[in-house]
């Protein structure tokens, strides 16, 4: 489902090298959402005392809102206590190694979404409970109903930031590179091997903590990529 | 090989949830280097007009220097023209999904290195040529000698930032989570499944651009993880 208001802020472009980029500027919120929903982790950037900080963490999209788990970043937590924290949430999926006939055109196939906006700390208990359940369901499909729910104390100890994907101040940019190497015509007959080595995140066999039955589900993104 | 000067700036800690983190503060530059060398991509954070920007890109460590490819980030390039650009380079490897008996203790196993420092733009032609070769060798083992080397024009069009890992102003922090879920004792008999689903980046069959022989090598990190 496209959201016309938000879609105007979604840019899609293919960037290889600036000099020869094939820039496709389209408006496809679904494509951006698909990347956000497939990737298990994101990198959150924020500024403290004028310097950049980038922390890897778990995220989940719930409709128009992108939620970011903040527990591993003490600085992020502290910064998030302010009314609105300027953040850049970047989600990247590596799809392939691009081996070209020239050194210059070696590249990576990837999909990435870069979200610029002002994040708010989630303080409402019901909202936070819903977000924690959604985050748990990203770790394992249906897990939020197959484990002990959080206590009020645990909920209070969980920090979550929220970013409205459709907010006027939010910018969502999707960039990707796909396909074979982009060699210059004079190099095509050079005799060097060229092609793409696809890569993907794959799940191995589950390792039960004790003597337990097999797991009931993996993250959908992993099942889809097996 | 440990570098005592730099090693004092390497922190290793295991962070789960702040309230129960098992913080191991050790000094192991080799462990940080291993993460930098295994990961194919990094996320570079920098500040423009007071706001954070996070861009995914390729990196390579050459001894004491971490090099970051800057071609896909026009803003990064522009910022990099200054004498010293404050950056945060974060490298993350996802190792597993941690399914706990309680929602709260669901987590991810990962290794990440966060490098804070002041980056310089690489302008020396010889240094830039060496870095481009090293970056190409990350895309495919030995590829820098199995393709057409860059022309002076291509080298000039390649932007690279450098960060001295041993510089006094550089801070290198390694964080990781490993092992099974960290459930609270009262939950152990709850009957819920718990364990870890290992995940890794794997390479698929190479896809030749044309009718070409099989590739001569993949990235070492991928071969090691197959």
């Amino acid at each position: 489902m496209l959201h016309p208001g938000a879609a105007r802020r979604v840019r899609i472009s293919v960037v290889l090298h600036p000099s020869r980029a094939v820039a496709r500027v389209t408006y496809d919120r679904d494509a951006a959402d698909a990347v956000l929903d497939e990737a298990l982790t994101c990198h959150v950037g924020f500024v403290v005392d004028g310097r950049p900080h980038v922390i890897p963490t778990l995220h989940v999209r719930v409709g128009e809102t992108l939620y970011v788990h903040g527990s591993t970043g003490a600085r992020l937590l502290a910064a998030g206590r302010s009314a609105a924290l300027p953040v850049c949430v970047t989600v990247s999926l590596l799809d392939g190694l691009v081996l070209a006939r020239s050194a210059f055109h070696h590249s990576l196939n990837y999909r990435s979404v870069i979200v610029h906006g002002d994040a708010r700390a989630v303080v409402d208990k019901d909202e936070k409970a819903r977000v924690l359940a959604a985050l748990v369901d990203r770790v394992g499909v249906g897990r939020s109903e197959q484990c002990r729910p959080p206590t009020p104390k645990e909920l209070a100890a969980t920090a979550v930031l929220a970013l409205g994907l459709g907010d006027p101040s939010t910018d969502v940019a999707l960039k990707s590179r796909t396909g074979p190497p982009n060699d210059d015509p004079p190099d095509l007959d050079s005799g060097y091997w060229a092609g793409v080595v696809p890569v993907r995140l794959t799940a191995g066999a589950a390792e039960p903590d004790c003597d337990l039955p097999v797991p009931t589900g993996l993250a959908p993104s992993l099942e889809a990529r097996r």
Side-chain angles (χ1 to χ4, degrees), chain A:
Chain A
M1 189 178 70
L2 282 171
H3 303 275
R8 279 194 293 276
R9 284 182 291 277
V10 178
R11 292 179 286 115
I12 299 188
S13 56
V14 175
V15 176
L16 272 167
H17 293 278
S19 57
R20 60 205 323 281
V22 182
R24 287 189 291 130
V25 181
T26 61
Y27 305 107
D28 187 345
R29 175 62 183 281
D30 283 351
D33 285 353
V35 171
L36 294 175
D37 295 351
E38 178 174 335
L40 278 166
T41 59
C42 67
H43 284 76
V44 184
F46 55 101
V47 180
V48 177
D49 297 334
R51 294 197 67 103
H53 291 255
V54 179
I55 291 177
T57 188
L58 193 66
H59 68 276
V60 66
R61 181 185 68 87
V62 180
E64 284 289 283
T65 307
L66 181 64
Y67 292 101
V68 173
H69 193 268
S71 78
T72 57
R75 285 174 178 273
L76 180 61
L77 288 191
R81 291 197 190 97
S82 60
L85 174 70
V87 296
C88 176
V89 182
T90 298
V91 170
S92 307
L93 294 165
L94 184 60
D95 292 326
L97 313 174
V98 182
L99 282 62
R101 296 164 185 86
S102 62
F104 185 68
H105 287 305
H106 277 68
S107 189
L108 298 174
N109 279 340
Y110 69 96
R111 288 162 290 153
S112 73
V113 170
I114 300 180
V115 183
H116 288 274
D118 296 319
R120 65 178 168 85
V122 174
V123 290
D124 181 83
K125 288 176 184 175
D126 291 338
E127 183 182 15
K128 198 188 272 189
R130 286 196 302 273
V131 175
L132 186 57
L135 286 167
V136 166
D137 283 339
R138 298 230 61 208
V139 179
V141 175
R143 284 294 300 180
S144 65
E145 298 192 350
Q146 299 162 7
C147 63
R148 177 179 63 71
T151 65
K153 189 178 175 185
E154 288 173 338
L155 269 185
T158 303
V160 177
L161 294 181
L163 197 53
L165 293 171
D167 289 357
S169 61
T170 300
D171 182 82
V172 182
L174 171 61
K175 292 183 181 181
S176 65
R177 189 204 184 282
T178 58
N182 204 358
D183 277 306
D184 299 322
D187 290 325
L188 293 178
D189 295 329
S190 60
Y192 294 114
W193 190 90
V196 172
V197 179
V199 297
R200 61 179 183 173
L201 198 64
T202 53
E207 301 164 355
D209 189 21
C210 303
D211 186 15
L212 291 165
V214 293
T216 52
L218 307 180
S221 62
L222 292 171
E223 289 187 328
R225 294 170 77 84
R226 292 186 97 168

